[in-house]
Amino acid sequence: MLRFIVRRLLQLIPTLGGLSILLFVWLQRLPGGPEYALLPDDATAEQRAELRRSLGLDEPVMVQYLAFLRRIAQGDLGTSLTTGRAVTEEFLTRFPATVELSVTAMLIAVTAGIPLGYLAARRRGSVLDVAAVGGSLLGICTPVFFLAFILKVVFAEKLGILPSAFRLSPGTNRTDLSGLVVLDGLRTGEFDVVWNALLHLALPGVALASIPLAVIVRMTRASVLEVVGEDYVRTANAKGLHRNTVRTRHVMRNALLPVVTSVGLLTGALFSGAVLTESVFAFPGIGSFIYEATQTRDYPVLTGFILLIATMYVFINLLVDISYSLLDPRVRAQ
Amino acid sequence: MSSSTPLLAVDELSVVFGGHGSDEVRAVDGVSFTLEEGRVTGLVGESGCGKSVTSLALMGLLPDRGVRVGGSAVMQVPGGTADLLKLSQRRMRDLRGSQMAMIFQDPLSSLNPVVPIGRQVTEILRRHRGMRGSAAAKEAAELLDRVGIPDPERRLREYPHQLSGGMRQRALIAMAVACRPRVMIADEPTTALDVTIQAQILELLKNLVTEEGTALLMITHDLGVVAGLCDDINVLYAGRAVEKAPRAPLFAQPTHPYTVGLLGSIPRLDAPRGEPLTPIRGSINDNIAWTRGCAFAPRCDHYTMECLQGPPDLVAVGAAAGVEGGGGSTGAAAEHVHRCVNPVRGADTADRSAPESPAAVGEDEEAQG
């Protein structure tokens, strides 16, 4: 098991190496640059060239990339061009918000998706099944920012029952322990803060959950349909076990294995969805910051954040694979 | 045989899939047999003849929708008798595992891959015998030991993929016998196993039947298994019994051309090297509907126009009109029945231990008829 983990962590090196090269090439290709975003419109061409020089952007790409690698080796991801703070610092202040949002979205997707998928499979061809399959198709097809926007207009602006922006209502006082508002509130006993934060999480959480929810419903449904036809489910029924025992121990235990894997893969979709969702709801996480950094061509922030997200992604999938091996003894043996 | 009331009396069992006029498939079409304590009854036939569907119907394991089950299957249960085909799902769940158990064909796929063997044994003890914790674990270990699994305590903690094929089937048998069921159904229990293991598993089943007085319904296409294990044999074709007899008369004087064909298609060790096998020609897809005549007729070397005039009845051997019964078939006539208007004559098949190819038997028959 330890060797497996070490091997997976070593895979991070080529992954991040390749990704950083791609990022450098892409960012070079992007039209414009920080000299346009940072300087006023009436700045002269000389001033713009001077800024590029001072940022080292006039050097050849190879030189820039090597300098970047040198800094990374020292644990330095550079400084944001717009805020002047270290990229790692910017990341750490914003990351808890995104974690909270992503976890909320994944919880919604899992708690709604698995039962829905199960019911759709067991009542195959019923209205519920057709609705679940059709709805999940719609969920996959609907762009996240569009859904986010619709939710915002309907629930926040027309009905006015849910807040439309930020993590908390303005002026809310809270004790900050970890940056995770809900968790901190539960630990300190500030339940009004918890409730306030949950209300703010509702709309972006649902918007962000749409794609994972749709995928989980479909995966669960397909998986359950496959497993109920397996011989061992027939054996369980032949043993006269209670319906619930058959359902949980024999059907779901097996049917959820592929769903667990998909949850790991979906975190990727979650992070990319977070960029759009956070922008729509002015949610102060890494997603909205990446969006702004793209607008201002804040190269250090873009490369730094994206590499950190990729690292997270690899770690989450490592965790998923470890949990998978705990769930499936056949994988453990290898 | 018929001295006591049978443990399970299956009468005119029929299973129809689909159900809209011509789309429907009659998988089982009026099959009757009885199971008695301490006896092994065989259901024999090639794939698609309805033998597995029969067993699933008895166990109540057919899908809920799209299936019509007819006939009756009266079983002696604690406190009276019950028709298995009419019981509620809940009642059936109570009976399954405790009064009747089933052993399936493929031991690997029949075991849950992510649940330890021990759990899969104890769950049935818990369900039907209310055993929990260490008592259940102890009983499970004893059961594994009883079916010949060495080092049972260790095996209980292992998963199906860690066991050999033979051990998996033994584990399934342990689950089947866990609550001492009175009726056991084995659906091709040795098909997925290699020959030496097959023999061991059959021996184990035989001992269980002898020691416990269980009634065993053995479903197989393997006539070797039938010869070694079954007391009474039902040969099924296209959902109907075509020949029924106790073991000895069936092997000595098979009368239905299908049975003769099955016996003739067994490869023989003493056959000359390179001699081709003698299969029954065609496949089960070449049937005609029983309502039009004998379903086997298109594949039969004996058929005459008479075979196509409505469904043949199940009659005692030697009783059918127009058949000069051979000398050997009179004694067992009451127990030996077949569904054939043009059977293979006893005299032709007296030496079943060295059969000619069915084709040769057929030519002979035609020359005489």
Side-chain angles (χ1 to χ4, degrees):
Chain A
M1 184 54 109
L2 192 67
R3 269 179 59 191
F4 168 74
I5 295 173
V6 170
R7 204 170 59 224
R8 286 291 295 269
L9 290 182
L10 286 179
Q11 282 173 8
L12 257 179
I13 297 171
T15 309
L16 293 182
L19 183 63
S20 61
I21 293 173
L22 279 179
L23 274 173
F24 256 79
V25 174
W26 281 334
L27 291 180
Q28 286 293 321
R29 294 261 138 203
L30 269 185
E35 69 273 21
Y36 295 98
L38 297 180
L39 294 179
D41 285 346
D42 56 353
T44 64
E46 265 171 31
Q47 285 171 316
R48 296 192 198 279
E50 174 58 32
L51 182 68
R52 279 191 78 87
R53 205 164 26 249
S54 72
L55 294 173
L57 294 175
D58 56 337
E59 307 268 4
V61 187
M62 266 317 280
V63 177
Q64 288 186 47
Y65 184 64
L66 288 177
F68 167 78
L69 287 187
R70 250 196 310 281
R71 274 188 282 119
I72 282 227
Q74 296 157 8
D76 178 12
L77 284 175
T79 313
S80 165
L81 302 183
T82 43
T83 64
R85 290 165 69 197
V87 169
T88 37
E89 197 187 323
E90 291 287 3
F91 188 83
L92 289 176
T93 49
R94 286 175 169 79
F95 191 54
T98 301
V99 168
E100 210 164 62
L101 178 59
S102 305
V103 169
T104 307
M106 205 38 115
L107 279 179
I108 294 174
V110 167
T111 50
I114 290 174
L116 257 177
Y118 178 83
L119 288 177
R122 291 326 300 271
R123 304 194 189 149
R124 195 179 181 182
S126 68
V127 178
L128 177 86
D129 183 25
V130 174
V133 171
S136 63
L137 190 64
L138 202 66
I140 291 172
C141 296
T142 312
V144 175
F145 70 89
F146 179 72
L147 179 66
F149 195 72
I150 296 285
L151 286 173
K152 183 171 155 172
V153 167
V154 172
F155 290 96
E157 288 166 15
K158 295 278 182 216
L159 299 174
I161 48 176
L162 285 167
S164 69
F166 310 122
R167 299 177 74 186
L168 288 167
S169 304
T172 312
N173 282 316
R174 62 179 281 265
T175 324
D176 188 35
L177 300 174
S178 62
L180 298 166
V181 179
V182 175
L183 214 61
D184 286 354
L186 289 176
R187 277 165 68 189
T188 57
E190 296 165 328
F191 295 112
D192 52 328
V193 175
V194 174
W195 179 242
N196 192 307
L198 287 178
L199 288 179
H200 282 80
L201 278 169
L203 290 181
V206 169
L208 191 53
S210 63
I211 287 178
L213 173 66
V215 174
I216 288 174
V217 167
R218 299 200 134 217
M219 293 274 312
T220 310
R221 177 179 178 274
S223 187
V224 167
L225 279 179
E226 193 183 316
V227 169
V228 290
E230 291 284 350
D231 289 349
Y232 53 79
V233 174
R234 189 180 58 188
T235 308
N237 279 315
K239 291 198 266 187
L241 300 178
H242 283 300
R243 216 182 277 270
N244 271 332
T245 316
V246 177
R247 195 174 296 165
T248 51
R249 187 177 300 156
H250 295 282
V251 176
M252 284 319 256
R253 252 320 287 273
N254 284 286
L256 286 185
L257 291 176
V259 180
V260 169
T261 312
S262 75
V263 167
L265 298 173
L266 283 170
T267 48
L270 219 53
F271 284 139
S272 60
V275 174
L276 301 164
T277 314
E278 288 180 5
S279 322
V280 172
F281 292 101
F283 203 81
I286 50 172
S288 53
F289 198 62
I290 287 178
Y291 177 76
E292 286 159 31
T294 318
Q295 301 298 309
T296 56
R297 304 285 186 274
D298 195 340
Y299 294 151
V301 168
L302 282 176
T303 30
F305 272 41
I306 290 171
L307 290 180
L308 285 172
I309 289 175
T311 314
M312 292 292 161
Y313 184 64
V314 171
F315 267 101
I316 289 168
N317 276 287
L318 176 63
L319 281 180
V320 167
D321 285 353
I322 292 172
S323 68
Y324 192 94
S325 75
L326 294 178
L327 292 173
D328 191 343
R330 289 165 297 185
V331 178
R332 219 177 302 161
Q334 287 161 11
Chain B
M1 244 178 81
S2 50
S3 55
S4 61
T5 1
L7 205 49
L8 174 64
V10 179
D11 191 36
E12 288 293 312
L13 174 72
S14 69
V15 180
V16 183
F17 290 98
H20 299 296
S22 57
D23 292 343
E24 67 176 33
V25 177
R26 300 189 77 84
V28 180
D29 195 359
V31 168
S32 308
F33 58 87
T34 57
L35 299 185
E36 323 221 0
E37 259 176 43
R39 283 184 80 85
V40 183
T41 304
L43 284 186
V44 189
E46 66 197 294
S47 306
C49 72
K51 53 196 196 299
S52 291
V53 173
T54 301
S55 65
L56 293 176
L58 294 178
M59 290 292 286
L61 291 175
L62 289 171
D64 303 336
R65 285 188 287 178
V67 185
R68 286 202 317 273
V69 180
S72 70
V74 178
M75 182 174 161
Q76 294 188 27
V77 293
T81 59
D83 184 349
L84 298 177
L85 306 180
K86 304 207 166 45
L87 285 182
S88 67
Q89 283 278 355
R90 177 185 291 267
R91 266 298 266 142
M92 278 307 282
R93 272 185 199 278
D94 289 340
L95 290 184
R96 283 202 295 261
S98 63
Q99 296 294 313
M100 50 198 299
M102 188 151 176
I103 302 161
F104 294 100
Q105 182 169 1
D106 182 350
L108 180 58
S109 67
S110 297
L111 288 166
N112 188 333
V114 301
V115 175
I117 295 292
R119 192 67 185 272
Q120 298 189 53
V121 180
T122 53
E123 65 182 358
I124 189 170
L125 295 172
R126 181 178 179 148
R127 167 69 172 94
H128 295 296
R129 290 168 68 183
M131 298 174 86
R132 278 155 205 253
S134 57
K138 191 159 164 286
E139 175 72 15
E142 275 168 22
L143 280 165
L144 291 196
D145 187 51
R146 178 141 176 261
V147 297
I149 295 181
D151 199 358
E153 277 86 5
R154 179 164 71 91
R155 295 300 179 190
L156 285 177
R157 290 190 300 273
E158 291 189 340
Y159 291 89
H161 70 270
Q162 292 167 292
L163 270 59
S164 68
M167 264 199 271
R168 286 177 204 139
Q169 192 58 287
R170 285 172 194 273
L172 276 164
I173 293 174
M175 291 169 207
V177 299
C179 302
R180 300 173 190 276
R182 302 181 71 195
V183 169
M184 207 151 62
I185 302 177
D187 187 358
E188 309 231 8
T190 57
T191 307
L193 305 173
D194 64 57
V195 186
T196 48
I197 308 295
Q198 282 188 11
Q200 295 171 14
I201 295 291
L202 292 176
E203 189 64 28
L204 173 63
L205 287 174
K206 203 174 196 168
N207 291 341
L208 289 170
V209 170
T210 329
E211 288 163 19
E212 301 281 335
T214 315
L216 177 63
L217 178 63
M218 188 77 191
I219 293 170
T220 183
H221 64 266
D222 185 342
L223 288 163
V225 170
V226 176
L229 197 65
C230 298
D231 301 306
D232 307 295
I233 296 145
N234 298 269
V235 180
L236 256 55
Y237 189 80
R240 289 194 187 191
V242 293
E243 186 163 5
K244 315 170 60 149
R247 172 176 45 190
L250 188 91
F251 278 88
Q253 289 135 0
T255 55
H256 197 284
Y258 179 59
T259 317
V260 174
L262 281 180
L263 287 168
S265 60
I266 301 174
R268 306 182 56 88
L269 280 176
D270 56 357
R273 186 175 275 269
E275 191 186 70
L277 298 173
T278 47
I280 300 172
R281 61 190 165 82
S283 80
I284 201 147
N285 296 325
D286 299 331
N287 296 340
I288 59 169
W290 277 111
T291 45
R292 288 171 50 205
C294 175
F296 185 62
R299 302 172 67 190
C300 185
D301 293 318
H302 285 249
Y303 89 94
T304 58
M305 286 318 287
E306 208 186 340
C307 298
L308 299 177
Q309 316 210 321
D313 291 323
L314 204 55
V315 293
V317 166
V323 175
E324 318 97 87
S329 62
T330 43
E335 295 169 357
H336 191 169
V337 293
H338 62 202
R339 190 188 294 280
C340 188
V341 292
N342 205 9
V344 180
R345 286 175 56 219
D348 292 329
T349 56
D351 186 13
R352 241 330 93 196
S353 60
E356 299 286 319
S357 76
V361 173
E363 282 158 19
D364 189 20
E365 189 72 5
E366 273 167 20
Q368 290 187 9

